[in-house]
């Protein structure tokens, strides 16, 4: 089993010591960073610190040095975001800091995505994402989309203020097995339930797994509405999408 | 809050006393944000979006809070976008069944130097209608009921005018620049608040969404504590600060601002909130909107009202502006439950 001392980057060691508290997460994160190269640890550190110019430069340098794009994405960018996600979940950092980290990840992904796209890496699945009707907030949704894309999902972003029909059309058009809806306002949350009802009315509810999230949304509310899953933050959104995809595969097997 | 041996009060007297944390005959029922619903719009023929833009409809819809629901306050400013409209933000006014919103994806400013307050800000139709609605309400309802106005805080205004993401990133990247923005916007908050008191408001709500869902408690201290203290000094009347989400970590600071009340969210327990603020500021809230008022029945509403009263909350009401499809039955349950709680507790003494 890897030890904290096996992580060569001092900043990342300090981050793990200070912010990661669950034993299973300590073990997983230490294993991860003990395995990855010092260059990838540097990229992850730039993500955690929200330094977009550093992330941009180090990603370009790593590619120029011949490091595989997928390795940079998984072991550098996403590895960094995994610590960011835990810090956010535990309220060590808040949205401004997460936005800066996301900006850094975006800078790195700007170099990675075209390479992965050209290489035709197989998608983990297709997800339709949007903020519900009447709600123009998209920070959380955009973070989820970035993390989903980083995890290999194909995501179609419908933007904000999305009506029921638009959600239905997009799911049908792309044959998407997963739909993600976001709402920031308690006044617009009911529109998630209306959308789910619209899928039932259109006889399409069985064809799609629906996940919901947003600051005021809770597991209880998601259950009441008949959603298939609730994600508290961008990290849980990714694990939820993965488990929903497994369900889809199991059901169609 | 003491309720023993107090002569019957009017709704207005009750609210004004509660805002000063003085004894009341019973706990007032109050929503300092909005209780507008589609049912109420139909009842008095004052639908959105016109009820957000025409003073007579605005006043008519606001009055239903007192006349139909039995609340002790009326609040004619159903939205948080009146000032943003006057500042030049693009507004999506929507229809009867949806809230109007600012198109924050199309921000009007990107740096402090961009901030220009239009000369016609106070006479713009979307700010003027609030002033006129308050005057109508005062004339029609007299001194029976408390009239609450609303003036947006500079942090919320920053979201609208700079875009939420850009404003939050600015706050992380460049605190001095952020403070200059807030400083340039603060006089607007004060001026619009004063104008509403002059029109006849008894109190103003000041929404400033430095919520725990977005920023830390340290952020509140860094950016808003001094500003909110300044508002309490410069605006000549009771101010009810409104911040959604989890806020217990900043309630101690909020209690030190000198504001009269804090409108708090159901993400904060009633008792834990009272324990933090002690007797330094009145608390208003915190009946859950989406799960209780919108989706459950009167029994669940009553339970949450009782929890607030048991904790000694000064004014009871919904946690925030309520979903427009909320049933009147659930809203009426709030004052009924408050009255029953007081009857039970008077009988017990």
């Amino acid at each position: 089993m890897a030890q904290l001392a096996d992580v060569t980057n001092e900043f990342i060691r300090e981050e793990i010591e200070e912010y990661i508290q669950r034993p299973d997460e300590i073990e997983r994160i230490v294993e991860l960073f003990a395995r990855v190269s010092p260059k990838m640890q540097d990229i992850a550190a730039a993500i955690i610190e929200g330094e977009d110019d550093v992330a941009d430069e180090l990603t370009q340098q790593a590619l120029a040095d011949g490091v595989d794009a997928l390795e940079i994405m998984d072991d550098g960018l996403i590895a960094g975001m995994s610590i960011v996600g835990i810090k956010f979940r535990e309220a060590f950092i808040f949205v401004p800091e997460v936005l800066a980290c996301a900006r850094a990840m975006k800078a790195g992904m700007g170099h990675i995505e075209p390479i992965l796209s050209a290489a035709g890496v197989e998608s983990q699945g297709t997800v339709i994402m949007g903020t519900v009707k009447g709600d123009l907030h998209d920070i959380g949704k955009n973070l989820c989309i970035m993390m989903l894309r980083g995890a290999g999902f194909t995501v179609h972003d419908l933007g904000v203020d999305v009506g029921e029909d638009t959600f239905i059309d997009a799911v049908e058009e792309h044959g998407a097995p997963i739909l993600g809806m976001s709402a920031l306002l308690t006044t617009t949350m009911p529109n998630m339930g209306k959308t789910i009802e619209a899928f039932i009315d259109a006889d399409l509810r069985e064809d799609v797994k629906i996940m919901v999230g947003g600051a005021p949304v809770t597991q209880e509310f998601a259950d009441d509405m008949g959603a298939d899953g609730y994600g508290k933050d961008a990290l849980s959104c990714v694990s939820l999408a993965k488990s929903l995809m497994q369900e889809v595969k199991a059901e169609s097997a | 809050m003491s309720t023993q041996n107090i002569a019957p009060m009017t709704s207005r007297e009750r609210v004004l006393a509660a805002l000063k944390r003085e004894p009341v005959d019973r706990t007032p029922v109050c929503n300092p944000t909005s209780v507008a619903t589609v049912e109420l719009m139909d009842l008095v023929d004052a639908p959105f979006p016109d009820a957000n833009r025409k003073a007579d409809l605005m006043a008519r819809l606001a009055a239903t809070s007192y006349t139909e629901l039995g609340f002790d306050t009326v609040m004619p400013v159903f939205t948080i976008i009146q000032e943003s409209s006057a500042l030049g933000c693009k507004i999506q006014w929507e229809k009867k069944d949806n809230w109007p919103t600012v198109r924050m994806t199309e921000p009007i400013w990107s740096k402090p130097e961009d901030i220009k307050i239009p000369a016609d800000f106070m006479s713009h139709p979307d700010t003027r209608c609030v002033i006129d609605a308050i005057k109508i309400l005062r004339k029609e309802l007299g001194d029976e009921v408390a009239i609450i106005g609303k003036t947006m805080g500079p942090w919320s205004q920053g979201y609208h005018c700079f875009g939420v993401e850009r404003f939050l990133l600015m706050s992380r990247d460049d605190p001095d620049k952020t403070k200059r923005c807030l400083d340039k916007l603060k006089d607007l908050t004060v001026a619009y608040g004063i104008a509403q008191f002059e029109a006849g408001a008894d109190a103003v709500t000041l929404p400033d969404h430095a919520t725990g869902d977005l920023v830390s408690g340290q952020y509140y201290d860094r950016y808003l504590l001094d500003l909110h203290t300044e508002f309490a000094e410069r605006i000549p009347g009771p101010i009810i600060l409104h911040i959604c989400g989890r806020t217990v970590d900043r309630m101690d600071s909020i209690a030190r601002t000198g504001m009269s009340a804090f409108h708090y969210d159901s993400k904060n327990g009633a008792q834990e909130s009272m324990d933090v603020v002690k007797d330094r500021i009145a608390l208003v809230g915190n009946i859950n909107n989406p799960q209780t008022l919108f989706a459950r029945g009167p029994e669940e509403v009553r339970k949450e009202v009782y929890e607030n009263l048991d904790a000694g909350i000064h004014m009871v009401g919904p946690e925030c502006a309520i979903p427009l499809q909320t049933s009147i039955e659930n809203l009426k349950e709030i004052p009924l439950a408050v009255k029953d709680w007081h009857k039970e507790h008077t009988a017990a003494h």
Side-chain angles (χ1 to χ4, degrees), chain B residues 14-28:
Chain B
R14 191 175 292 129
V15 171
L16 289 174
L19 284 167
K20 288 187 248 176
R21 304 186 304 286
E22 290 175 354
V24 286
D25 60 344
R26 69 157 169 80
T27 306

Side-chain angles (χ1 to χ4, degrees), chain B residues 9 17 32 39 55 77 80 87-88 94 100 110 142 152 158 163 169 178 187 255 261 271 285 293 295-296 322 336 346:
Chain B
M9 294 171 134
E39 247 184 299
V77 201
I80 55 169
L87 288 172
E94 292 287 353
S110 65
M152 297 300 292
L169 273 171
T178 309
D187 289 341
Q271 192 59 60
L293 281 169
R296 299 273 194 271
I322 57 170
L336 289 177
T346 306

